[in-house]
Amino acid sequence: GEAAPGAAVDTQDELLAWVKATYTQNSHWCCSVAFGGGGADAPPLDPRTLRLRGFENLYVADASAFPTIPNGNVHSTVTAVASEFADRFVRDRRAAAASSTSSSKRGRTTARK
């Protein structure tokens, strides 16, 4: 026999009401960042840096940044993307800081005795 929704749910309206009352989302959102605008010519997310265009220092490093839904559980793929993003982010920030420091030193003159 039928376990759910059961014999008490008989009409289309009752079935729709039952689905609305009992449905839960158990999946991870994927591929949703493109819905933020920008169109195909200028997507809102820079795929190289994962920076959201139009915002300062806002990055997307989760499943919403995926171009397609991966096969299987998305968790390991999200972890890999986030780890790679974190490595790049730290490396880029260190390189920018080093570049800024070296360029400011080049502009200074040192008096010698």
Side-chain angles (χ1 to χ4, degrees), residues 39-71:
D41 294 338
L45 186 70
D46 180 341
R48 189 183 63 77
T49 63
L50 297 179
R51 187 177 71 79
L52 197 58
R53 291 185 176 105
F55 295 90
E56 298 251 349
N57 299 317
L58 182 59
Y59 300 85
V60 178
D62 65 4
S64 62
F66 294 175
T68 59
I69 299 172
N71 291 331

Side-chain angles (χ1 to χ4, degrees), residues 1-11 14 18:
E2 179 181 333
V9 176
D10 191 41
T11 68
E14 290 171 340
W18 178 83

Side-chain angles (χ1 to χ4, degrees), residues 6-93:
V9 176
D10 191 41
T11 68
Q12 286 293 324
D13 289 340
E14 290 171 340
L15 181 58
L16 183 58
W18 178 83
V19 169
K20 286 181 178 181
T22 61
Y23 176 78
T24 61
Q25 175 69 14
N26 292 323
S27 301
H28 299 278
W29 285 95
C30 286
C31 318
S32 60
V33 76
F35 288 54
D41 294 338
L45 186 70
D46 180 341
R48 189 183 63 77
T49 63
L50 297 179
R51 187 177 71 79
L52 197 58
R53 291 185 176 105
F55 295 90
E56 298 251 349
N57 299 317
L58 182 59
Y59 300 85
V60 178
D62 65 4
S64 62
F66 294 175
T68 59
I69 299 172
N71 291 331
N73 190 318
V74 74
H75 179 265
S76 59
T77 311
V78 169
T79 302
V81 167
S83 178
E84 178 64 21
F85 168 75
D87 289 345
R88 285 185 189 182
F89 185 83
V90 169
R91 184 177 59 238
D92 291 350
R93 290 298 178 264

Side-chain angles (χ1 to χ4, degrees), residues 103-112:
S103 66
S104 67
K105 286 181 180 178
R106 276 185 249 138
R108 295 181 192 161
T109 57
T110 305
R112 296 182 186 218

